[in-house]
Amino acid sequence: MSLYATYMFPRLMDWVLSGERFQTERRQLLASAHGVVLEIGFGTGLNLPHYPSAITGLHTVEPATLLPDRVATRVARVPFPVHPRQLSAEGLPYASNLFDCAVSTFTLCTIPDPSAALREVRRVLKPEGCFLFLEHGRSDDPSIARWQDRLNPLQQIVACGCNLNRRIDQLIVQAGFRLEQLDRYTLPGIPRIGGTMYRGKASIEKIG
């Protein structure tokens, strides 16, 4: 990895995504998390202080090593055990039907194969489990979506693989989930190109 991707971008990402508006979004999303939880795209651990007391354990996957000292400090502050793994979400080393809840925040935009990752999340969730997600993605406004398509190659370079134009809801449904809740909105103060949000809860689609 380049010096930018290893040292500069993680600090920039941590600073931006630790803003109060983003923390409010995390608190709102994670209020219903419970039991044994899987978080894909753990990043620098910004979700940790917002998990409720209903959490009994957290397993995390993250392919990169991002600000390890900062992550260790955040992990030490939470009352539940955290089990980190350095790997990609497209191939999870967990048994099927293991987790009560799975979480993804600002992650599906960057995973190289989000469909494969979501299928893996579905596999490791218990049949009654839930998937909580907070993501930015493709706008429903055609003019904004066209600009997202135009700027996406540059975004991938500047933001280390992040995509502006993924239809998050479609990816989740196509992976075998049923959307229980979906909130679509634009983050205040953020240009619609990068601030078009998908926040919600999904369950496993029953077959037959």
Side-chain angles (χ1 to χ4, degrees), residues 31-145:
S32 61
H34 62 281
V36 182
V37 176
L38 169 69
E39 181 178 337
I40 63 171
F42 183 60
T44 57
L46 290 173
N47 283 335
L48 285 171
H50 306 299
Y51 279 111
S53 59
I55 296 295
T56 57
L58 178 66
H59 295 254
T60 71
V61 296
E62 169 61 52
T65 301
L66 303 173
L67 310 183
D69 292 342
R70 201 170 300 184
V71 170
T73 298
R74 289 169 178 161
V75 167
R77 291 173 178 165
V78 298
F80 49 81
V82 179
H83 309 281
R85 301 289 292 268
Q86 186 173 347
L87 49 85
S88 175
E90 290 98 332
L92 297 173
Y94 305 109
S96 299
N97 308 324
L98 179 63
F99 295 100
D100 300 293
C101 182
V103 170
S104 172
T105 59
F106 303 102
T107 295
L108 295 175
C109 58
T110 302
I111 293 176
D113 189 344
S115 296
L118 286 166
R119 288 193 298 269
E120 278 289 88
V121 169
R122 184 184 185 278
R123 178 184 66 79
V124 301
L125 273 176
K126 294 179 180 179
E128 67 278 11
C130 66
F131 175 49
L132 305 175
F133 57 93
L134 174 65
E135 304 284 349
H136 73 97
R138 190 174 189 84
S139 174
D140 288 332
D141 184 324
S143 63
I144 299 298

